[in-house]
Amino acid sequence: MAQASAQLLFDESGQPFIVMREQENQKRITGVEAVKSHILAARAVANTLRTSLGPRGLDKMLVSPDGDVTITNDGATIMEKMDVQHHVAKLMVELSKSQDHEIGDGTTGVVVLAGALLEEAEKLIDRGIHPIKIADGFDLACKKALETLDSISDKFPVENRERLVETAQTSLGSKIVNRSIRQFAEIAVDAVLSVADIETKDVNFEMIKMEGKVGGRLEDTILVKGIVIDKTMSHPQMPKELKNAKVAILTCPFEPPKPKTKHKLDITSTEDFKALRDYERETFETMIRQVKESGATLAICQWGFDDEANHLLQANDLPAVRWVGGPEIELLAIATNARIVPRFSELTSEKLGTAGLVREITFGAAKDRMLSIEQCPNNKAVTVFVRGGNKMIIDEAKRALHDALCVIRNLVRDSRIVYGGGSAELAAAIQVAKEADRIDGIEQYAFRAFADALESIPMALAENSGLAPIEALSDLKAKQIETGNSFLGIDAVFAGTNDMKEQKVIETLLSKREQISLATQVVRMILKIDDVRVPDDEKMDDELDTPCASSSLIFESPIQRSYVRRHEHNYAVGS
C-alpha cells in the first residue's frame, strides 16, 4: 500500500493544517557526481574572468535587466554584476568580494587561481583520489607556497614616493586609465599619503572623497586638497569666491520652528496673514543675525530653505549652500575643523571652521558648477575629481583609482612586496613541486596539482598577451630554475626583459598571500560537498547561457533548498 503524501493534523486551538511530505519529492545528487557538478559550475565562472587578467586583459560588457551598461575588467565588479544563480558558482562571487573587501586588488587573479585548483582537483578525482585527501594536500601545499612568498619578498621603502608611484602604475596598467597611468598613479599616492598615519600604519579611506563630472578628458582629473561638492551657492547673486572664509555647518533648517505634534492654524483675516508673514520674516532675520554675530561668512546647511529665506540671506550678505548630504557635512567639518551645530542658539565663534578659499568651479559650455572648499587647516581630507567623456569611463576610472589606493594602503600597512608578471606564482610552484618529492603519502599528488594550478596565472598572462602560453611558461620556468632568480616573469608589455624587478612590476605581498589563501579555502569548501538535494520541479542539470549582448555568464540552476515540511493553517477540512 502506497504511503500517503500528506497528513491532516490539528493545532492546539483546533485549527486544521496539512503536513506535506516533500522530502520524497526531492531529487539529489551525491558523491563524485555532486563534486564534479560543482567543479564544472565554478570553473565556468573562473573561465569568464581568465581573459581579463593582466595588462593585456580584455574588458567585459555587462548589461543589467534595466538596460544599464557597465564596461570593466575589474574582477570584483564583473562578479558582482553577473547574474549567477548556481549555488556553488555564488561561492566564487563571494570569493572575489572577500578579496576586494580585504585587499582591494587581485580580485581577478584569486578567481582564476581557484578555477585552476578545481580543474586540477577534478583530474585527481578521476584517478580515484578521495576529495578530502586532495583538500588536505592543497592546505599543506598552500602553507609551503606562502612560506616561499615570504622568502622571496623584498622590503619596500614606503617613504620613497617615486617607488610608491611605480607600484600604483602596476595596478593601473590593466585599466582603462593606462593612457594617463603616471598621472593617476601620482594622484593615488598623494591621496593616500595625505590621509595616512605612517606611525600607526593606518589609512582612513573615508577621508578620500571621489567626485566625477561628465565632460573633459581623463587627463583633466585632479586631486584637490580639500572637499569638492556637487552644489552651488543658493542665490545666483552670492559671491562665487570667498577667501579666508569662516564656515558655519548647520543641521537645523532656516524655517520657523514647528511643533512635533499635529497642528492646525486657522487664518480668518488679512491681519492674521500679515502677522504670520511678519513672524516668519522675524524668525528668518533672527536666525541670520545669530549666524552673522558668530562671525560666520559662509553657512553650509544640511537642509533646504525657501525663496524668502534665500532672499534675506542675500540681502544680509551671508553666502549659503543648501542640501549638503550627511557624509559631505562630516568631511567638511573634519577638513575645516568646524563643529556641526544642530541649533542656531548654540552657534558660537568657537564652533566655526576656516577655509582659505571657497570657490565655484565652472565646466563646459553648459556652465555646470560645483563648489570647492580648499586650503583647509586639516589636510587629511582630500577629493579626487574625475573627468571623462561619459559616465561609464568615469565609473571605470573610479574603480581603477580605488584599486590603486588599496595597493598603496596595503604597502603602508605591510611594506613587503613581491614582483608581478606571474614570477611569484611560478617561484612558489617550483618550490611546491620540489616539496612533493619529499612527501611519502598520497598528498604528493595534491602538491603537484597545486603547483600546476599556480602556473595557470603566468600561463593566462602569456595567453592574454598574444604569446604561445606553453612555450613561454616552459622557457620561463627553465630560466628560473637555472638562474635561481625568482623575479623572472611574463613580459606582457614586450619591454624586452623578463626581469620584473627591472620592469618595476610590483605587487604587495599582502595581496598575493590573500589570493592564494582565499582560493585554497574556497576550493576546500567545494570539495567537501558531496550531497545536494533540490526540489523535484527544479532542473538538476546546470544550464549555462552566455548571451551575445554582454560578456556575463548567466547561471540558471537550482539554488539548494531543503523543505522538510510545509504548514498550511486554516486549511478547510472539506476542500
Side-chain angles (χ1 to χ4, degrees), residues 46-102:
N47 289 338
T48 310
L49 290 192
R50 187 181 172 90
T51 55
S52 295
L53 189 67
R56 304 275 178 174
L58 301 176
D59 290 356
K60 301 284 182 275
M61 177 186 285
L62 301 116
V63 184
S64 74
D66 298 331
D68 294 333
V69 177
T70 303
I71 299 175
T72 183
N73 72 349
D74 179 62
T77 307
I78 295 170
M79 297 297 279
E80 183 184 348
K81 293 187 179 292
M82 275 169 54
D83 185 11
V84 178
Q85 294 178 7
H86 190 282
H87 44 282
V88 169
K90 282 184 176 179
L91 288 177
M92 303 296 275
V93 177
E94 294 300 321
L95 170 65
S96 184
K97 284 182 181 177
S98 298
Q99 177 77 11
D100 191 41
H101 292 161
E102 188 66 26

Side-chain angles (χ1 to χ4, degrees), residues 236-269:
Q237 292 181 339
M238 287 178 179
K240 307 300 180 200
E241 184 175 307
L242 296 171
K243 292 186 177 178
N244 300 319
K246 297 280 188 181
V247 183
I249 298 179
L250 307 168
T251 56
C252 43
F254 267 102
E255 61 181 30
K258 297 174 182 175
K260 294 185 185 294
T261 56
K262 289 185 178 181
H263 60 282
K264 183 180 178 184
L265 183 63
D266 291 326
I267 298 176
T268 57
S269 64

